[in-house]
Amino acid sequence: MMQFTESAPPPPPLNLSGLGLCLDLTAPRAPLHRPRPWPGFPTSAKSLGSFNAAGCMEQLLVHCANAVEANDATLAQQLLWVLHNIAPPDGDSSQRLSAACLHALITRASRTGSCKMLTVAAARADADLSLHTHRFSAVDLASFIDLTPWHRFGYSAANAAIAEAVEGFPAVHIVDLGTTYCMQIPTLIDLLASRPEGPPILRITIPSPTATTALPPPILGLSYDELGARLLNFARSKNVAMEFQVIPSNPADAFDTLIEQLRVQQLVSEGEALIVNCQMMLHYIPDETACAISSTMSMPSSISLRTVFLKALRSLEPTLVTLVDEDADFTASDVVGRLRAAFNYLWIPYDAVDTFLPKGSEQRRWYEAGVRWKIENVIAHEGLERVERQEPKGRWAQRVRAAGFRGVGFGEEAVGEVKAMLDEHSAGWGLKREEEDLVLTWKGHNVVFATAWVPS
């Protein structure tokens, strides 16, 4: 976080015409742990209400982003000074969110070379940002994921849909495209082991990214061989015959290698149900705005690799495709648009974490470090390095339908599983049905969607 000393002279008075405010930044600095209204801030009912309100902080961040993009170092420095005072990284949820966005803007300035006088502030004095590189043990990662419904929601909905789709199949091939290292699979094995007709032969395939791929947190401190061995032992304990394979493949090239391997394997896998389980992974495939077509694929740059992947997937005639992702839109080409989108979506994890983890706990630091990683990637990075390119549910549905799939929805058993899981968490989490889809909510706001598809 940008550091200021008490002896450093504050910037001159700042007129934020966009907010209708004139802020006197020469006033004594308020303690970070007890922010106060600034002189000159309107206090009438028609005003923004509080200088520390989330809406006001969002507008200050937008002004700061515009200043950074315009290479207006003086204005950017003034805004950074204000935000540093009103948004401590250990404050309330809105302040912590604003602090993360502020750091992302400083990082962007240092990466792009704009506002060079700010690059000193980009030295990552707050070591907590390195927490996203923490490597979990398998047990710790499972416990960490169980803290919230963020991933468990998709697991519960998808597992119920998969179990229903593979009834009667003697062999099932699960292609697990997820970001949590198969943490969903043990529960699925339990479900399949309890089938009245007996468990199927189970095959699990996962992609492994190359060393150059930017891995989002959380990160598992096990090799894929060790992970596979643990899953095989668990399946054996449930009397489920299982195979586990890892195929080097990346979302950056639309999992091209994985698709080709699946196509070859299908030639010798008659009677096997092919399930493609996509959990928070498909938004890492570059969209149209990325213009990042792999050199190994000859096609116009205007064609999205997401379209390429979905059409290739359709050609495999899968038994079922489950698609679970965050219901957000981080695809804007301009940084201000992405900043607004991140601010108005990623307040949710900051708000929710206050309900289940105490301030200062190690798990909370890991949890929020992952959110900050996402914010920094959305705001500070461009091109191939910007991998957080979420799209809302409606746009994904259009893509999947255009590729030749139709939605099949979720049965009452799946809804019951999700509701039972949500009962284990705080009252702020909820479930709603939108046509054939399920949506996880926090205080009424969409968080994660779950959809299920079959070839049309």
Side-chain angles (χ1 to χ4, degrees):
M1 179 58 59
M2 190 173 183
Q3 301 295 313
F4 296 88
T5 62
E6 294 295 337
S7 59
L14 171 63
N15 180 30
L16 296 181
S17 58
L19 292 177
L21 306 177
C22 182
L23 306 178
D24 180 8
L25 302 187
T26 63
R29 180 181 173 192
L32 291 184
H33 63 279
R34 192 177 60 189
R36 59 175 175 76
W38 284 77
F41 186 81
T43 56
S44 68
K46 295 181 179 180
S47 71
L48 289 174
S50 168
F51 193 63
N52 299 100
C56 184
M57 286 190 279
E58 178 188 1
Q59 291 186 67
L60 286 171
L61 286 164
V62 167
H63 280 275
C64 187
N66 282 323
V68 168
E69 293 301 281
N71 201 22
D72 188 341
T74 301
L75 179 58
Q77 186 187 38
Q78 291 172 328
L79 288 159
L80 288 169
W81 195 86
V82 176
L83 284 161
H84 171 71
N85 275 270
I86 67 171
D90 59 349
D92 62 29
S93 58
S94 294
Q95 290 171 323
R96 301 198 308 277
L97 169 62
S98 298
C101 293
L102 172 61
H103 186 278
L105 286 173
I106 295 171
T107 302
R108 181 178 180 86
S110 70
R111 290 174 61 85
T112 61
S114 62
C115 302
K116 291 184 179 179
M117 64 186 297
L118 302 179
T119 55
V120 175
R124 308 201 172 184
D126 49 338
D128 278 354
L129 282 175
S130 66
L131 285 171
H132 76 261
T133 62
H134 172 76
R135 293 183 175 273
F136 290 86
S137 70
V139 173
D140 286 345
L141 180 56
S143 298
F144 182 74
I145 288 170
D146 284 348
L147 289 172
T148 78
W150 205 279
H151 291 285
R152 294 187 72 198
F153 163 77
Y155 295 174
S156 299
N159 280 348
I162 291 169
E164 181 179 347
V166 302
E167 288 180 3
F169 280 90
V172 176
H173 185 183
I174 306 290
V175 180
D176 191 45
L177 304 181
T179 58
T180 56
Y181 307 92
C182 297
M183 290 295 148
Q184 173 184 349
I185 299 302
T187 306
L188 179 59
I189 291 173
D190 263 337
L191 277 175
L192 297 179
S194 62
R195 290 199 321 182
E197 69 269 34
I201 298 172
L202 184 61
R203 189 144 56 103
I204 305 292
T205 297
I206 66 170
S208 69
T210 62
T212 58
T213 303
L215 292 175
I219 299 175
L220 181 65
L222 294 179
S223 69
Y224 285 103
D225 287 341
E226 292 172 306
L227 174 63
R230 287 174 180 247
L231 286 172
L232 288 169
N233 287 335
F234 181 80
R236 192 176 299 116
S237 73
K238 300 293 182 178
N239 296 317
V240 176
M242 192 182 98
E243 298 176 13
F244 181 83
Q245 64 174 342
V246 180
I247 297 176
S249 194
N250 288 300
D253 62 5
F255 297 109
D256 184 50
T257 305
L258 173 66
I259 292 290
E260 288 306 312
Q261 288 288 330
L262 294 176
R263 188 169 284 119
V264 170
Q265 291 174 8
Q266 272 198 324
L267 298 177
V268 293
S269 303
E270 290 186 11
E272 182 181 73
L274 174 63
I275 307 294
V276 183
N277 180 50
C278 307
Q279 296 275 343
M280 309 286 192
M281 176 67 83
L282 293 199
H283 71 255
Y284 292 109
I285 298 176
D287 67 343
E288 292 86 347
T289 66
C291 296
I293 302 298
S294 170
S295 60
T296 62
M297 306 177 74
S298 56
M299 62 190 67
S301 60
S302 60
I303 297 179
S304 168
L305 284 183
R306 296 179 181 182
T307 299
V308 172
F309 170 77
L310 291 170
K311 287 186 175 181
L313 195 60
R314 174 63 180 82
S315 71
L316 297 176
E317 295 286 342
T319 306
L320 181 73
V321 175
T322 56
L323 172 53
V324 178
D325 217 317
E326 295 165 332
D327 201 4
D329 187 355
F330 295 159
T331 61
S333 59
D334 63 299
V335 67
V336 170
R338 299 200 304 273
L339 187 152
R340 286 189 182 278
F343 195 92
N344 287 284
Y345 176 75
L346 292 173
W347 68 272
I348 295 172
Y350 280 106
D351 190 51
V353 75
D354 290 336
T355 67
F356 65 88
L357 288 177
K359 189 174 182 179
S361 73
E362 191 172 46
Q363 285 185 319
R364 177 161 167 168
R365 289 164 59 220
W366 290 336
Y367 181 86
E368 294 197 354
V371 183
R372 291 196 299 274
W373 187 95
K374 189 186 295 286
I375 290 171
E376 181 172 314
N377 189 266
V378 170
I379 294 174
H381 295 258
E382 295 292 351
L384 288 173
E385 293 181 341
R386 179 159 63 85
V387 296
E388 294 287 347
R389 295 174 178 269
Q390 284 83 342
E391 289 186 306
K393 178 172 72 74
R395 200 180 305 165
W396 272 115
Q398 290 176 352
R399 288 187 185 277
V400 181
R401 289 192 185 99
F405 292 91
R406 63 178 176 86
V408 292
F410 296 90
E412 290 305 316
E413 185 173 346
V415 173
E417 290 285 341
V418 173
K419 287 181 177 178
M421 180 274 298
L422 290 179
D423 287 341
E424 301 173 17
H425 297 278
S426 64
W429 298 104
L431 170 69
K432 68 179 181 180
R433 302 185 77 158
E434 292 185 351
E435 297 178 347
E436 298 171 328
D437 310 326
L438 300 182
V439 180
L440 174 70
T441 63
W442 172 253
K443 296 181 177 178
H445 297 269
N446 286 17
V447 182
V448 175
F449 65 84
T451 60
W453 306 86
V454 296
S456 57

PDB file of all heavy atoms in Angstrom, residues 211-232:
ATOM      1  N   ALA A 211       4.247 -24.099 -16.966  1.00  0.00           N
ATOM      2  CA  ALA A 211       4.886 -23.341 -15.897  1.00  0.00           C
ATOM      3  C   ALA A 211       4.700 -21.843 -16.071  1.00  0.00           C
ATOM      4  O   ALA A 211       4.802 -21.077 -15.112  1.00  0.00           O
ATOM      5  CB  ALA A 211       6.371 -23.687 -15.825  1.00  0.00           C
ATOM      6  N   THR A 212       4.449 -21.401 -17.308  1.00  0.00           N
ATOM      7  CA  THR A 212       4.321 -19.962 -17.564  1.00  0.00           C
ATOM      8  C   THR A 212       2.907 -19.440 -17.329  1.00  0.00           C
ATOM      9  O   THR A 212       2.680 -18.239 -17.384  1.00  0.00           O
ATOM     10  CB  THR A 212       4.710 -19.646 -19.025  1.00  0.00           C
ATOM     11  OG1 THR A 212       3.868 -20.398 -19.909  1.00  0.00           O
ATOM     12  CG2 THR A 212       6.169 -20.008 -19.276  1.00  0.00           C
ATOM     13  N   THR A 213       1.971 -20.340 -17.047  1.00  0.00           N
ATOM     14  CA  THR A 213       0.591 -19.923 -16.842  1.00  0.00           C
ATOM     15  C   THR A 213       0.431 -19.278 -15.469  1.00  0.00           C
ATOM     16  O   THR A 213       0.905 -19.810 -14.464  1.00  0.00           O
ATOM     17  CB  THR A 213      -0.352 -21.133 -16.950  1.00  0.00           C
ATOM     18  OG1 THR A 213      -0.175 -21.739 -18.223  1.00  0.00           O
ATOM     19  CG2 THR A 213      -1.794 -20.699 -16.796  1.00  0.00           C
ATOM     20  N   ALA A 214      -0.236 -18.131 -15.427  1.00  0.00           N
ATOM     21  CA  ALA A 214      -0.513 -17.463 -14.156  1.00  0.00           C
ATOM     22  C   ALA A 214      -1.630 -18.199 -13.441  1.00  0.00           C
ATOM     23  O   ALA A 214      -2.759 -18.243 -13.924  1.00  0.00           O
ATOM     24  CB  ALA A 214      -0.891 -16.008 -14.393  1.00  0.00           C
ATOM     25  N   LEU A 215      -1.312 -18.809 -12.307  1.00  0.00           N
ATOM     26  CA  LEU A 215      -2.305 -19.574 -11.572  1.00  0.00           C
ATOM     27  C   LEU A 215      -3.004 -18.675 -10.564  1.00  0.00           C
ATOM     28  O   LEU A 215      -2.358 -18.051  -9.724  1.00  0.00           O
ATOM     29  CB  LEU A 215      -1.640 -20.741 -10.837  1.00  0.00           C
ATOM     30  CG  LEU A 215      -1.069 -21.855 -11.702  1.00  0.00           C
ATOM     31  CD1 LEU A 215      -0.347 -22.871 -10.831  1.00  0.00           C
ATOM     32  CD2 LEU A 215      -2.158 -22.537 -12.506  1.00  0.00           C
ATOM     33  N   PRO A 216      -4.326 -18.604 -10.615  1.00  0.00           N
ATOM     34  CA  PRO A 216      -5.042 -17.834  -9.597  1.00  0.00           C
ATOM     35  C   PRO A 216      -5.040 -18.593  -8.282  1.00  0.00           C
ATOM     36  O   PRO A 216      -4.968 -19.825  -8.265  1.00  0.00           O
ATOM     37  CB  PRO A 216      -6.459 -17.737 -10.175  1.00  0.00           C
ATOM     38  CG  PRO A 216      -6.603 -18.971 -11.004  1.00  0.00           C
ATOM     39  CD  PRO A 216      -5.241 -19.234 -11.583  1.00  0.00           C
ATOM     40  N   PRO A 217      -5.103 -17.893  -7.173  1.00  0.00           N
ATOM     41  CA  PRO A 217      -5.225 -18.596  -5.889  1.00  0.00           C
ATOM     42  C   PRO A 217      -6.609 -19.214  -5.764  1.00  0.00           C
ATOM     43  O   PRO A 217      -7.539 -18.769  -6.436  1.00  0.00           O
ATOM     44  CB  PRO A 217      -5.028 -17.465  -4.866  1.00  0.00           C
ATOM     45  CG  PRO A 217      -5.376 -16.207  -5.596  1.00  0.00           C
ATOM     46  CD  PRO A 217      -5.034 -16.445  -7.038  1.00  0.00           C
ATOM     47  N   PRO A 218      -6.742 -20.256  -4.934  1.00  0.00           N
ATOM     48  CA  PRO A 218      -5.727 -20.877  -4.089  1.00  0.00           C
ATOM     49  C   PRO A 218      -4.830 -21.842  -4.868  1.00  0.00           C
ATOM     50  O   PRO A 218      -5.215 -22.306  -5.947  1.00  0.00           O
ATOM     51  CB  PRO A 218      -6.568 -21.617  -3.058  1.00  0.00           C
ATOM     52  CG  PRO A 218      -7.814 -22.004  -3.812  1.00  0.00           C
ATOM     53  CD  PRO A 218      -8.087 -20.864  -4.742  1.00  0.00           C
ATOM     54  N   ILE A 219      -3.660 -22.127  -4.301  1.00  0.00           N
ATOM     55  CA  ILE A 219      -2.690 -23.002  -4.940  1.00  0.00           C
ATOM     56  C   ILE A 219      -2.456 -24.216  -4.042  1.00  0.00           C
ATOM     57  O   ILE A 219      -2.274 -24.077  -2.831  1.00  0.00           O
ATOM     58  CB  ILE A 219      -1.362 -22.264  -5.196  1.00  0.00           C
ATOM     59  CG1 ILE A 219      -1.603 -21.077  -6.142  1.00  0.00           C
ATOM     60  CG2 ILE A 219      -0.320 -23.204  -5.791  1.00  0.00           C
ATOM     61  CD1 ILE A 219      -0.372 -20.211  -6.372  1.00  0.00           C
ATOM     62  N   LEU A 220      -2.487 -25.385  -4.645  1.00  0.00           N
ATOM     63  CA  LEU A 220      -2.274 -26.634  -3.906  1.00  0.00           C
ATOM     64  C   LEU A 220      -0.787 -26.965  -3.881  1.00  0.00           C
ATOM     65  O   LEU A 220      -0.118 -26.925  -4.912  1.00  0.00           O
ATOM     66  CB  LEU A 220      -3.065 -27.767  -4.558  1.00  0.00           C
ATOM     67  CG  LEU A 220      -2.978 -29.144  -3.893  1.00  0.00           C
ATOM     68  CD1 LEU A 220      -3.600 -29.102  -2.502  1.00  0.00           C
ATOM     69  CD2 LEU A 220      -3.682 -30.196  -4.755  1.00  0.00           C
ATOM     70  N   GLY A 221      -0.291 -27.306  -2.707  1.00  0.00           N
ATOM     71  CA  GLY A 221       1.125 -27.638  -2.561  1.00  0.00           C
ATOM     72  C   GLY A 221       1.423 -29.096  -2.810  1.00  0.00           C
ATOM     73  O   GLY A 221       2.276 -29.683  -2.126  1.00  0.00           O
ATOM     74  N   LEU A 222       0.741 -29.719  -3.760  1.00  0.00           N
ATOM     75  CA  LEU A 222       0.980 -31.112  -4.131  1.00  0.00           C
ATOM     76  C   LEU A 222       1.227 -31.192  -5.628  1.00  0.00           C
ATOM     77  O   LEU A 222       0.681 -30.397  -6.396  1.00  0.00           O
ATOM     78  CB  LEU A 222      -0.226 -31.999  -3.805  1.00  0.00           C
ATOM     79  CG  LEU A 222      -0.634 -32.232  -2.351  1.00  0.00           C
ATOM     80  CD1 LEU A 222      -1.862 -33.121  -2.319  1.00  0.00           C
ATOM     81  CD2 LEU A 222       0.500 -32.872  -1.568  1.00  0.00           C
ATOM     82  N   SER A 223       2.001 -32.163  -6.049  1.00  0.00           N
ATOM     83  CA  SER A 223       2.139 -32.423  -7.479  1.00  0.00           C
ATOM     84  C   SER A 223       0.872 -33.107  -7.968  1.00  0.00           C
ATOM     85  O   SER A 223       0.073 -33.642  -7.184  1.00  0.00           O
ATOM     86  CB  SER A 223       3.349 -33.320  -7.737  1.00  0.00           C
ATOM     87  OG  SER A 223       3.111 -34.628  -7.237  1.00  0.00           O
ATOM     88  N   TYR A 224       0.693 -33.112  -9.287  1.00  0.00           N
ATOM     89  CA  TYR A 224      -0.487 -33.785  -9.842  1.00  0.00           C
ATOM     90  C   TYR A 224      -0.423 -35.290  -9.598  1.00  0.00           C
ATOM     91  O   TYR A 224      -1.462 -35.942  -9.442  1.00  0.00           O
ATOM     92  CB  TYR A 224      -0.615 -33.472 -11.327  1.00  0.00           C
ATOM     93  CG  TYR A 224      -1.122 -32.069 -11.591  1.00  0.00           C
ATOM     94  CD1 TYR A 224      -0.264 -31.062 -11.992  1.00  0.00           C
ATOM     95  CD2 TYR A 224      -2.461 -31.748 -11.407  1.00  0.00           C
ATOM     96  CE1 TYR A 224      -0.719 -29.768 -12.224  1.00  0.00           C
ATOM     97  CE2 TYR A 224      -2.937 -30.472 -11.632  1.00  0.00           C
ATOM     98  CZ  TYR A 224      -2.053 -29.480 -12.036  1.00  0.00           C
ATOM     99  OH  TYR A 224      -2.510 -28.198 -12.248  1.00  0.00           O
ATOM    100  N   ASP A 225       0.778 -35.846  -9.560  1.00  0.00           N
ATOM    101  CA  ASP A 225       0.912 -37.279  -9.257  1.00  0.00           C
ATOM    102  C   ASP A 225       0.422 -37.571  -7.840  1.00  0.00           C
ATOM    103  O   ASP A 225      -0.284 -38.566  -7.603  1.00  0.00           O
ATOM    104  CB  ASP A 225       2.371 -37.716  -9.407  1.00  0.00           C
ATOM    105  CG  ASP A 225       2.803 -37.795 -10.863  1.00  0.00           C
ATOM    106  OD1 ASP A 225       1.921 -37.865 -11.740  1.00  0.00           O
ATOM    107  OD2 ASP A 225       4.024 -37.773 -11.125  1.00  0.00           O
ATOM    108  N   GLU A 226       0.816 -36.711  -6.901  1.00  0.00           N
ATOM    109  CA  GLU A 226       0.368 -36.904  -5.512  1.00  0.00           C
ATOM    110  C   GLU A 226      -1.138 -36.718  -5.391  1.00  0.00           C
ATOM    111  O   GLU A 226      -1.818 -37.467  -4.670  1.00  0.00           O
ATOM    112  CB  GLU A 226       1.100 -35.918  -4.592  1.00  0.00           C
ATOM    113  CG  GLU A 226       2.588 -36.181  -4.450  1.00  0.00           C
ATOM    114  CD  GLU A 226       3.293 -35.068  -3.682  1.00  0.00           C
ATOM    115  OE1 GLU A 226       3.142 -33.888  -4.081  1.00  0.00           O
ATOM    116  OE2 GLU A 226       3.981 -35.384  -2.689  1.00  0.00           O
ATOM    117  N   LEU A 227      -1.665 -35.726  -6.097  1.00  0.00           N
ATOM    118  CA  LEU A 227      -3.110 -35.497  -6.081  1.00  0.00           C
ATOM    119  C   LEU A 227      -3.850 -36.714  -6.617  1.00  0.00           C
ATOM    120  O   LEU A 227      -4.833 -37.182  -6.022  1.00  0.00           O
ATOM    121  CB  LEU A 227      -3.447 -34.257  -6.909  1.00  0.00           C
ATOM    122  CG  LEU A 227      -4.928 -33.952  -7.117  1.00  0.00           C
ATOM    123  CD1 LEU A 227      -5.621 -33.656  -5.797  1.00  0.00           C
ATOM    124  CD2 LEU A 227      -5.110 -32.782  -8.091  1.00  0.00           C
ATOM    125  N   GLY A 228      -3.374 -37.240  -7.751  1.00  0.00           N
ATOM    126  CA  GLY A 228      -4.013 -38.414  -8.337  1.00  0.00           C
ATOM    127  C   GLY A 228      -3.957 -39.621  -7.413  1.00  0.00           C
ATOM    128  O   GLY A 228      -4.945 -40.362  -7.296  1.00  0.00           O
ATOM    129  N   ALA A 229      -2.823 -39.810  -6.743  1.00  0.00           N
ATOM    130  CA  ALA A 229      -2.686 -40.948  -5.830  1.00  0.00           C
ATOM    131  C   ALA A 229      -3.685 -40.855  -4.677  1.00  0.00           C
ATOM    132  O   ALA A 229      -4.286 -41.860  -4.273  1.00  0.00           O
ATOM    133  CB  ALA A 229      -1.254 -41.012  -5.298  1.00  0.00           C
ATOM    134  N   ARG A 230      -3.886 -39.656  -4.164  1.00  0.00           N
ATOM    135  CA  ARG A 230      -4.840 -39.486  -3.067  1.00  0.00           C
ATOM    136  C   ARG A 230      -6.273 -39.776  -3.530  1.00  0.00           C
ATOM    137  O   ARG A 230      -7.060 -40.386  -2.809  1.00  0.00           O
ATOM    138  CB  ARG A 230      -4.742 -38.071  -2.505  1.00  0.00           C
ATOM    139  CG  ARG A 230      -3.480 -37.832  -1.691  1.00  0.00           C
ATOM    140  CD  ARG A 230      -3.348 -36.382  -1.271  1.00  0.00           C
ATOM    141  NE  ARG A 230      -2.138 -36.176  -0.510  1.00  0.00           N
ATOM    142  CZ  ARG A 230      -2.092 -35.862   0.792  1.00  0.00           C
ATOM    143  NH1 ARG A 230      -3.224 -35.736   1.464  1.00  0.00           N
ATOM    144  NH2 ARG A 230      -0.941 -35.685   1.406  1.00  0.00           N
ATOM    145  N   LEU A 231      -6.612 -39.293  -4.739  1.00  0.00           N
ATOM    146  CA  LEU A 231      -7.960 -39.555  -5.255  1.00  0.00           C
ATOM    147  C   LEU A 231      -8.178 -41.045  -5.508  1.00  0.00           C
ATOM    148  O   LEU A 231      -9.253 -41.591  -5.234  1.00  0.00           O
ATOM    149  CB  LEU A 231      -8.195 -38.760  -6.532  1.00  0.00           C
ATOM    150  CG  LEU A 231      -8.423 -37.255  -6.362  1.00  0.00           C
ATOM    151  CD1 LEU A 231      -8.449 -36.562  -7.720  1.00  0.00           C
ATOM    152  CD2 LEU A 231      -9.729 -36.981  -5.611  1.00  0.00           C
ATOM    153  N   LEU A 232      -7.155 -41.704  -6.037  1.00  0.00           N
ATOM    154  CA  LEU A 232      -7.271 -43.144  -6.293  1.00  0.00           C
ATOM    155  C   LEU A 232      -7.467 -43.915  -4.998  1.00  0.00           C
ATOM    156  O   LEU A 232      -8.271 -44.860  -4.934  1.00  0.00           O
ATOM    157  CB  LEU A 232      -6.023 -43.639  -7.027  1.00  0.00           C
ATOM    158  CG  LEU A 232      -5.900 -43.207  -8.492  1.00  0.00           C
ATOM    159  CD1 LEU A 232      -4.505 -43.529  -9.028  1.00  0.00           C
ATOM    160  CD2 LEU A 232      -6.954 -43.890  -9.347  1.00  0.00           C
TER     161      LEU A 232
END
